[in-house]
Amino acid sequence: MATDVVAQLADSLAKTGVEDGELSYKGQGRKLDNAQSAEEIVKDILEFEGLQALRMEGNTVGVEAAQAIAKALEGKSDFQRCYWSDMFTGRLRSEIPPALNSLGDALMLAGARLTVLDLSDNAFGPDGVKGIEKLLKSTACFTLQELRLNNCGMGIGGGKILAASLIYCHKQSSEKNTPLSLKVFVAGRNRLENEGATALAQAFQLIGSLEEVHMPQNGINHPGVTALASAMQQNPGLRILNLNDNTFTEKGALAMAQALKHLNSIQVINFGDCLVRSEGAKAIAETVSAGLPVLKELNLSFGEITADAALAVVQAVKNKNQLEKLDLNGNYLGEDGCKAVKDGMESLNMISLLGSLSDDEGEPEDDEDEDDEDDDDDDDEDVDEEEIEEEEEEEEEEEEENGSNKLSTPVSAQRPPDVSSFLSFPSPDKLLKLGAKRAMLVQQQVDVTDARKTAEAFLKIASVYKEDINDVKNAVLDTIDALLSKAFSSPSFQGYSFVSILLVLLGLIKSEDKIKPVLVVPGHLHALEHVARQDYFPKENVAVLEAFMSRSNKSLESCGNARNGLQSTLQRVRSQS
């Protein structure tokens, strides 16, 4: 009997953590559609005395289940921490706001005083932010210290709603002599762009207590970066600033370098893949040299920085006794520059702190002859691919003829066109042979809920585009329209992830997943130009594409005319939006 009790207790502890007043269902993959499916969780909440935290990550909660859980939370006045990331997988976007409203109302009714609110990876868009707007403005969030909204697809609209809510909360809490003292703000991959970032900057400027700000991959250009730089100056306790994969350019980098002069507590600066360029890097180096005594990490990778600027950065860190890592990978150092940087770090006895330089882009190419040679190489690769495709088509035709002779099968009875075969080895002829229903067939074949599969399929279809052959051109564009209009109309489709993966596959950004880029051909860019003009393609993604297409990149050098056409279209579409 005692053994059974111990077993039951062990099982209970495995399901629900009791440490620090925490109840956890993290990663259990529960599908909670209604009140009945949430009965066990409701019971556990009601019986948990002094409940302070609820972990629901990795489950999927419907409206009715959320209402049942919310009802149980109404009596939990000690509640402080919401770990609710990845909690609405597979739910319609329209389900999420009412679910969040119910949970927020319960916390307000309970008199909870939140310190952590984590709703990351929920893809709820601007409407989801509206679902927590009332909670964020309430007394329940006067004590909030960590707000985590990573990868929620908030967009510009959601960013503005969030900023207004934080400003209101700060005003109301200040009137009660308990001003909002937010310490950690996380909102990466949210398509905030300049307007959303500028709105949030106004909130940050008022709050003044931030210690960590993480806003990578938000399509923010120099106006938004400049606004954030101004706001960061008012947060002197800032320790971590992560703006990776936004587009500073020199203007934004200079503004940020100025802001850093006011941040002597800064430990981690991540401006990787931010296009700070050489003058921006030199300005940042000057700030680092003059201050920042506790700096531990400095990331200026993939910023189009030349060797002289990189050496200025090396010299700037020579007295940083707490430095743990310097990342200058993926810049324009060249072989000699890489050696000089390594020698410089070696002379400072800091070579072990220098990150890899294996992805260095080489020196900026000004020599036309070298450009011609590179173009010739790309042309050779194009010819090789075309020859391979032609050989594959000839082999298929021979197999069909041989098969017909051996089996005496009439042409009308031959195997119908296969979408899988086309996507595996794309060719114009195969696409045309799919017939009038090709667009529908491709729609059915590709899983449009998967951003990577959709991006890969798009590039394969676009690769057979022929500007001077109308039948092929129209077939490609019609098929792409069918595929992407279905994808972007799907509530579960991550449009920003699609664009990010597309840029990785085109070799324009680096990937932590080691995704191998494709050989870029003009058809890819012609097809993208067409897509950018379509109503189904979110206009917030146009600015992201424009930013990356404007960068100097070897992968696009063989597509000069197509690239120019795409850049012009992106600029025109963005100016009209």
Side-chain angles (χ1 to χ4, degrees):
M1 184 69 177
T3 304
D4 292 340
V5 172
V6 171
Q8 288 176 4
L9 179 60
D11 181 59
S12 176
L13 289 173
K15 282 195 312 182
T16 58
V18 296
E19 183 179 355
D20 200 19
E22 183 179 288
L23 187 59
S24 177
Y25 302 92
K26 182 178 179 179
Q28 294 186 12
R30 298 191 182 208
K31 194 171 188 295
L32 307 172
D33 294 325
N34 48 42
Q36 184 178 0
S37 60
E39 281 180 353
E40 182 186 351
I41 294 175
V42 168
K43 181 175 179 292
D44 290 341
I45 291 173
L46 291 173
E47 293 177 353
F48 200 121
E49 293 294 332
L51 180 65
Q52 295 180 23
L54 178 62
R55 286 192 174 274
M56 293 295 294
E57 308 105 306
N59 298 284
T60 177
V61 182
V63 176
E64 289 185 23
Q67 290 170 343
I69 293 170
K71 189 69 177 173
L73 288 171
E74 287 179 0
K76 301 300 175 181
S77 59
D78 294 328
F79 198 82
Q80 297 177 5
R81 302 187 302 281
C82 307
Y83 298 107
W84 296 346
S85 64
D86 192 20
M87 195 173 76
F88 298 108
T89 302
R91 298 291 168 185
L92 295 175
R93 186 170 288 186
S94 60
E95 292 182 83
I96 302 176
L100 290 173
N101 268 318
S102 297
L103 292 165
D105 287 348
L107 296 177
M108 289 185 283
L109 186 61
R113 291 293 182 266
L114 296 184
T115 57
V116 178
L117 179 58
D118 185 355
L119 288 165
S120 298
D121 300 318
N122 277 313
F124 46 50
D127 290 341
V129 185
K130 292 178 183 177
I132 59 171
E133 182 179 8
K134 186 162 54 169
L135 174 64
L136 288 172
K137 290 180 175 181
S138 74
T139 56
C141 286
F142 284 6
T143 51
L144 195 63
Q145 295 182 12
E146 297 183 20
L147 180 58
R148 300 177 183 271
L149 297 168
N150 200 57
N151 191 30
C152 289
M154 289 189 289
I156 294 171
K160 289 181 176 180
I161 296 168
L162 177 60
S165 300
L166 291 173
I167 290 171
Y168 183 89
C169 182
H170 184 269
K171 179 182 177 182
Q172 294 299 310
S173 59
S174 296
E175 290 178 359
K176 301 291 185 181
N177 295 318
T178 56
L180 172 66
S181 299
L182 191 67
K183 289 182 170 58
V184 178
F185 180 83
V186 181
R189 300 182 66 188
N190 270 294
R191 307 193 308 273
L192 294 171
E193 300 185 21
N194 291 332
E195 291 184 56
T198 300
L200 285 166
Q202 294 174 351
F204 298 159
Q205 194 151 353
L206 283 175
I207 292 169
S209 56
L210 289 167
E211 295 180 6
E212 295 185 27
V213 173
H214 302 264
M215 296 174 66
Q217 292 186 323
N218 269 299
I220 306 171
N221 298 327
H222 73 81
V225 172
T226 300
L228 288 171
S230 178
M232 292 306 106
Q233 295 184 37
Q234 307 304 317
N235 290 266
L238 193 69
R239 295 182 297 104
I240 299 174
L241 181 57
N242 177 7
L243 295 174
N244 187 281
D245 202 3
N246 290 290
T247 308
F248 284 32
T249 64
E250 185 178 322
K251 290 181 181 178
L254 291 175
M256 200 58 73
Q258 183 64 32
L260 289 171
K261 293 178 180 179
H262 301 266
L263 303 175
N264 279 328
S265 296
I266 199 83
Q267 296 178 10
V268 177
I269 300 171
N270 187 344
F271 296 161
D273 207 10
C274 283
L275 208 65
V276 298
R277 297 198 168 124
S278 295
E279 291 306 310
K282 289 176 182 177
I284 292 169
E286 183 180 340
T287 298
V288 170
S289 179
L292 314 191
V294 293
L295 184 66
K296 291 183 178 180
E297 293 185 24
L298 176 59
N299 184 347
L300 296 177
S301 60
F302 300 97
E304 294 191 358
I305 299 170
T306 52
D308 59 331
L311 289 171
V313 175
V314 169
Q315 288 302 309
V317 301
K318 64 181 178 182
N319 294 320
K320 304 304 164 190
N321 298 326
Q322 296 189 38
L323 191 72
E324 296 174 0
K325 185 176 182 181
L326 172 64
D327 193 344
L328 292 169
N329 199 16
N331 284 299
Y332 288 160
L333 308 186
E335 186 176 345
D336 292 340
C338 287
K339 185 178 185 302
V341 166
K342 291 176 181 177
D343 289 346
M345 292 296 282
E346 185 78 61
S347 69
L348 299 174
N349 294 320
M350 301 173 83
I351 187 64
S352 63
L353 309 183
L354 179 66
S356 170
L357 298 177
S358 60
D359 291 321
D360 185 71
E361 297 284 351
E363 296 179 22
E365 294 183 1
D366 296 323
D367 192 300
E368 293 181 0
D369 293 335
E370 289 181 7
D371 288 347
D372 292 340
E373 288 177 10
D374 290 341
D375 289 344
D376 290 341
D377 290 341
D378 289 336
D379 290 341
D380 290 341
E381 290 177 354
D382 289 347
V383 170
D384 291 343
E385 281 212 333
E386 290 173 4
E387 290 175 352
I388 291 169
E389 287 178 357
E390 290 172 0
E391 289 172 4
E392 288 170 350
E393 290 173 32
E394 290 172 1
E395 289 172 2
E396 286 182 1
E397 290 171 1
E398 288 174 5
E399 287 173 2
E400 288 176 1
E401 291 173 3
N402 292 338
S404 298
N405 292 334
K406 290 177 183 177
L407 302 175
S408 302
T409 305
V411 173
S412 60
Q414 290 179 9
R415 180 168 54 88
D418 184 0
V419 178
S420 297
S421 174
F422 166 71
L423 292 174
S424 298
F425 302 100
S427 73
D429 188 57
K430 286 182 184 177
L431 182 63
L432 293 177
K433 283 182 178 178
L434 290 175
K437 294 184 177 180
R438 66 179 69 87
M440 181 187 70
L441 293 171
V442 171
Q443 268 190 341
Q444 294 171 346
Q445 179 73 20
V446 179
D447 179 9
V448 295
T449 63
D450 187 317
R452 178 171 177 176
K453 290 178 181 177
T454 305
E456 289 172 343
F458 165 82
L459 291 176
K460 288 176 180 178
I461 299 165
S463 70
V464 305
Y465 178 99
K466 301 293 180 185
E467 179 69 18
D468 54 347
I469 304 178
N470 284 335
D471 286 350
V472 175
K473 175 181 176 180
N474 292 335
V476 167
L477 297 182
D478 289 346
T479 305
I480 283 173
D481 282 340
L483 176 70
L484 295 188
S485 61
K486 181 181 179 183
F488 281 102
S489 64
S490 171
S492 59
F493 185 68
Q494 291 285 322
Y496 191 79
S497 295
F498 166 82
V499 173
S500 298
I501 293 168
L502 196 62
L503 292 170
V504 170
L505 290 169
L506 290 172
L508 300 179
I509 59 176
K510 304 296 179 181
S511 169
E512 295 178 356
D513 299 326
K514 305 297 183 184
I515 298 175
K516 185 179 180 181
V518 302
L519 174 66
V520 181
V521 296
H524 292 140
L525 306 190
H526 284 304
L528 258 182
E529 181 182 356
H530 169 81
V531 168
R533 294 195 297 264
Q534 306 311 305
D535 290 338
Y536 60 73
F537 190 71
K539 294 301 177 278
E540 59 263 29
N541 290 337
V542 171
V544 178
L545 286 177
E546 183 186 359
F548 283 96
M549 287 300 159
S550 65
R551 295 186 179 190
S552 176
N553 195 291
K554 289 182 180 179
S555 68
L556 303 179
E557 287 177 355
S558 63
C559 307
N561 291 335
R563 179 185 184 180
N564 293 338
L566 174 57
Q567 284 181 297
S568 297
T569 295
L570 292 172
Q571 290 170 1
R572 185 166 60 254
V573 171
R574 188 167 65 85
S575 65
Q576 293 171 352
S577 60

